[in-house]
Amino acid sequence: MTEGQQHENPTAQVEAARRAFEQEFERFANFAADPAALRGLDFKSAEAEQRALAELRTRHLGKKSALAASKKLIGRVAPEERGAFGQFVQQQEAAVASSIEQVENALNTHVAAARTAREAIDVTLPGRRPRRGHLHPITLMRERIEDIFVSLGYAIEDGREIETDFYNFTALNIPDNHPARAPQDTFYTTDGFALRSQTSTVQIHAMQRRGAPLRMIAPGRVFRRDTPDPTHNPMFYQVEGLCVDRGISMAHLKGTVAEFLRRMFGEQTVTRFRPSYFPFTEPSAEFDFSCFKCGGKGCRICKNSGWIELGGSGMVHPNVLRSVGVDPEEFSGFAFGLGIDRMVALMYGLDDIRLLFENDVRFLEQFD
Ligand code: FA5
């Protein structure tokens, strides 16, 4: 049909527009007529059909549609036929609109129902419980130690893990080439730094920073060139204790360590000191406590000795006080150091401290 013919026959033009609509509408018609056709549509496809139908409406009823164009032809219709033509166009328009509306309604209802079904929550489903973590046994032990010493008036110092030779050895009265360096051989970097082999380094930092008098503990990680075995790891935890004041004696050391062990392992715990040697304390002593499992009778945990070895201690050597500018004539002090990993092993009856760093959840879960 040419442009000229269209103008000559407006009615035919309206009929053509209606036919074009019916052709395109055919695939939507079922949605209104047959509920089964809708049931086959999932949520996403139903939404796509809604959009396609909206486009169809714009194409056939919008301002630029063929029907809208045909209305403008009314002036070309003979005056006596204008009324009938007008009515005819309106009927066609109403029929098209009504067809579209029916499908629209059906689709809207279906989409709303599908959305409700999609967003529905099944309150009867079992909940998903978040997996709760917990502190590592070494952390638990460290916190218990800290609590006890804080209640005795000690501050908690945080040391550094990478140290210079001076803090790890020299200031602690272990000069170059001294044999006491050998058992604490550690990991050196090429430019004069070393991983600290003991928390005694914090004694020096703390006294340099805060002078005397002073009471502190310093828990932390230390490193040694030790071959792993059931009681050794190349990385383990120690806690250092230091008390410097006027008139501090060995009695204060014994009283403090005994009180700490009683609070940790129970009132009945007995402590004993054995003479020992550390370059940075004089006199020096290692301390043991009566086995918390058998009370001293002898068992597997204390290897039948009735005693458990815990750490080293002694009166701070005057050379150490001098190295940090504290006058040994005026001040004296005691220090002690113990291994946290071995304490955890004793407390929980572990026969191998390497378990603490294997990251096996089946093992760690037991300490919740
Ligand atoms: C010291 O490290 C001294 N700094 C302790 C000290 C502090 C003495 C203050 C006097 C005054 P020792 O090398 O003995 O001492 O180590 C102390 C504790 O660390 C030991 O009793 C043990 O419990 C623990 N320990 C030592 N080597 C290892 C290792 N390889 N693995 C696990 N624990 C270890």
Side-chain angles (χ1 to χ4, degrees):
M1 195 185 289
T2 66
E3 189 100 323
Q5 280 172 322
Q6 273 181 17
H7 288 176
E8 276 155 28
N9 192 349
T11 303
Q13 196 175 331
V14 173
E15 282 167 353
R18 173 73 192 262
R19 271 197 307 279
F21 166 76
E22 291 300 340
Q23 235 171 30
E24 275 193 60
F25 182 70
E26 204 181 329
R27 72 179 196 82
F28 292 97
N30 253 356
F31 293 142
D34 176 9
L38 270 180
R39 255 181 264 128
L41 278 186
D42 62 18
F43 180 70
K44 268 197 161 161
S45 328
E47 276 193 329
E49 294 296 10
Q50 276 182 315
R51 284 192 296 275
L53 190 65
E55 282 162 21
L56 183 81
R57 175 191 273 282
T58 313
R59 262 196 314 281
H60 292 279
L61 292 175
K63 275 191 221 147
K64 292 180 184 160
S65 64
L67 271 177
S70 62
K71 277 195 228 165
K72 295 182 189 142
L73 303 179
I74 204 149
R76 299 182 184 256
V77 176
E80 64 279 11
E81 288 170 17
R82 268 182 205 158
F85 177 74
Q87 259 180 10
F88 178 62
V89 176
Q90 261 166 12
Q91 272 167 10
Q92 296 308 310
E93 215 173 30
V96 167
S98 144
S99 297
I100 292 177
E101 236 156 70
Q102 279 173 33
V103 176
E104 257 173 6
N105 290 342
L107 275 174
N108 288 350
T109 312
H110 179 69
V111 166
R115 181 177 290 130
T116 309
R118 203 174 71 146
E119 290 170 1
I121 297 169
D122 183 351
V123 289
T124 64
L125 279 178
R128 248 176 268 145
R129 197 191 316 179
R131 270 175 72 98
R132 204 164 49 89
H134 60 83
L135 296 175
H136 190 279
I138 288 193
T139 310
L140 292 171
M141 179 60 85
R142 197 200 70 212
E143 289 187 344
R144 287 180 67 171
I145 297 170
E146 286 177 358
D147 285 349
I148 294 173
F149 278 103
V150 166
S151 74
L152 293 175
Y154 281 67
I156 296 171
E157 286 281 333
D158 207 9
R160 44 186 90 153
E161 290 173 3
I162 297 177
E163 274 297 358
T164 59
D165 205 70
F166 173 78
Y167 287 98
N168 202 67
F169 295 120
T170 316
L172 288 165
N173 203 28
I174 315 176
D176 268 350
N177 306 317
H178 192 285
R181 289 195 177 207
Q184 294 205 4
D185 202 7
T186 180
F187 302 87
Y188 291 88
T189 67
T190 43
D191 40 11
F193 292 99
L195 295 179
R196 67 174 175 188
S197 63
Q198 50 185 343
T199 44
S200 299
T201 51
V202 191
Q203 288 186 28
I204 307 302
H205 287 292
M207 284 194 281
Q208 278 181 337
R209 207 168 41 243
R210 312 209 279 142
L214 152 110
R215 258 187 281 182
M216 67 95 194
I217 61 159
R221 228 184 327 213
V222 301
F223 309 84
R224 287 187 195 175
R225 220 196 53 178
D226 284 351
T227 308
D229 70 22
T231 54
H232 291 83
N233 259 328
M235 190 221 46
F236 58 101
Y237 285 82
Q238 285 189 338
V239 58
E240 191 78 8
L242 174 70
C243 170
V244 178
D245 209 333
R246 293 176 184 88
I248 295 292
S249 73
M250 196 85 182
H252 295 110
L253 166 64
K254 292 180 80 172
T256 305
V257 170
E259 178 59 18
F260 161 63
L261 292 174
R262 272 198 298 271
R263 293 201 194 179
M264 183 62 94
F265 295 108
E267 269 305 310
Q268 69 296 339
T269 311
V270 182
T271 316
R272 81 172 179 188
F273 285 78
R274 286 177 289 114
S276 185
Y277 169 74
F278 294 101
F280 37 91
T281 45
E282 184 59 35
S284 303
E286 274 177 87
F287 53 93
D288 309 334
F289 67 105
S290 53
C291 178
F292 59 89
K293 189 82 177 174
C294 64
K297 288 193 217 71
C299 70
R300 196 179 68 91
I301 290 201
C302 59
K303 299 194 186 95
N304 282 320
S305 72
W307 295 98
I308 293 173
E309 245 182 71
L310 199 57
S313 65
M315 299 305 293
V316 181
H317 197 290
N319 283 352
V320 174
L321 295 176
R322 267 185 222 109
S323 78
V324 291
V326 171
D327 181 3
E329 299 300 322
E330 186 183 356
F331 290 100
S332 57
F334 66 79
F336 58 87
L338 44 94
I340 299 183
D341 311 46
R342 287 197 196 161
M343 235 169 124
V344 171
L346 292 169
M347 183 83 127
Y348 295 110
L350 311 179
D351 47 19
D352 195 327
I353 63 165
R354 288 173 295 188
L355 286 166
L356 292 167
F357 296 107
E358 278 172 3
N359 272 345
D360 186 335
V361 181
R362 290 165 305 176
F363 167 74
L364 293 172
E365 263 173 359
Q366 301 173 60
F367 301 93
D368 198 358

